[in-house]
Amino acid sequence: MLTIALPKGRIAQDSLVLFSKIFNQSINFDDRRLILRLENITFLNVRNQDVPTYVHYGAADLGIVGLDVLEERSDIDVVRLLNLNIGKCKVVVGSECGKPINYLKPRIKIATKMTNITQNFFSARAIAVDVIKLYGSIELAPLVNLADGIVDIVETGSTMKQNNLQIDEVIMHSSAFLIANQNSFYVKKDSILSLQEELKKLI
Ligand code: PRP
């Protein structure tokens, strides 16, 4: 019996398609249902950023989550099993077109959902930064002088384009990974590896 945490949001649909193929039936969470039980497997419908938490504490044996989320949650210890090559995106530093971040300022302000990645990136360059935590619509921040720039995810690039922002630098490339709880990987190794093989065939 395996429990798998699937993320809501941008990776959700692609991961449901993968598991629908493996289990040969349509896998969908009805309306607001958060648990889906099949014969030998249970799926949990969790927020993207929470997938590592469910897996780390063993509430889920496996999870699917973006590498960007894993980097942001570096406090959490899970086994990275397989790059699924879905949900590809970049984490970038961005600013308003024609208004680049002024790195000569004693401190810069960066708005982001990804505070750890941001802090680590600028600390490694010895740039003093005030990290302003937002929960969404990050691209708005430089346009209304809340911040000098942003660190955010770019997938198609259309949100930045439509808001007159440019990519200054790419911090990392990301895609979705299959991850496992350390203990589950030991105790349920056979079923986890066989599921990993099934996923490998599809990617
Ligand atoms: C993410 C990200 C960007 C956007 C990028 O936000 O924070 O805003 O997607 O995608 P694009 O390059 O394809 O335009 P999300 O859609 O998760 O919504 P949010 O702003 O509410 O977090």
Side-chain angles (χ1 to χ4, degrees):
M1 185 72 193
L2 286 175
T3 300
I4 307 183
L6 296 181
K8 295 179 181 178
R10 59 187 59 236
I11 306 170
Q13 212 42 46
D14 286 347
S15 25
L16 288 172
V17 167
L18 285 177
F19 287 108
S20 298
K21 283 184 185 158
I22 290 174
F23 294 100
N24 219 359
Q25 60 183 284
S26 150
I27 295 174
N28 263 306
F29 293 97
D30 291 336
D31 195 24
R32 304 285 294 170
R33 294 290 292 270
L34 301 173
I35 299 189
L36 175 65
R37 291 182 210 279
L38 304 185
E39 207 175 313
N40 281 320
I41 203 146
T42 300
F43 292 100
L44 310 179
N45 192 17
V46 316
R47 185 90 189 263
N48 205 18
Q49 292 87 338
D50 293 334
V51 170
T53 308
Y54 280 83
V55 175
H56 173 82
Y57 289 104
D61 302 302
L62 294 168
I64 290 188
V65 68
L67 190 59
D68 54 310
V69 175
L70 282 180
E71 287 296 316
E72 180 65 19
R73 300 292 315 274
S74 53
D75 54 318
I76 257 163
D77 192 21
V78 293
V79 186
R80 294 181 191 187
L81 286 177
L82 180 66
N83 182 355
L84 296 169
N85 277 314
I86 56 174
K88 286 188 180 172
C89 61
K90 294 177 280 198
V91 179
V92 308
V93 181
S95 61
E96 194 175 354
C97 293
K99 216 179 140 208
I101 299 168
N102 179 4
Y103 287 106
L104 297 175
K105 279 166 77 170
R107 289 187 86 79
I108 59 165
K109 284 191 274 183
I110 299 290
T112 188
K113 279 183 245 187
M114 316 170 100
T115 55
N116 294 330
I117 290 176
T118 303
Q119 191 66 63
N120 293 340
F121 178 77
F122 287 105
S123 296
R125 297 183 168 204
I127 295 169
V129 61
D130 287 330
V131 179
I132 301 175
K133 167 90 181 179
L134 294 177
Y135 293 87
S137 303
I138 315 295
E139 291 83 355
L140 182 60
L143 306 178
V144 295
N145 294 321
L146 176 62
D148 301 302
I150 61 170
V151 166
D152 200 15
I153 283 168
V154 170
E155 193 177 3
T156 62
S158 66
T159 311
M160 285 190 81
K161 201 167 175 194
Q162 287 181 33
N163 291 290
N164 195 36
L165 299 189
Q166 66 186 24
I167 295 175
D168 296 327
E169 239 173 303
V170 176
I171 298 180
M172 66 177 287
H173 291 267
S174 176
S175 56
F177 273 67
L178 176 71
I179 58 170
N181 172 269
Q182 300 273 7
N183 188 50
S184 303
F185 188 55
Y186 180 70
V187 177
K188 303 182 181 179
K189 196 160 194 168
D190 289 348
S191 42
I192 288 178
L193 289 181
S194 91
L195 186 63
Q196 182 183 356
E197 281 310 308
E198 293 295 319
L199 284 165
K200 257 189 199 164
K201 283 184 207 156
L202 294 175
I203 58 178

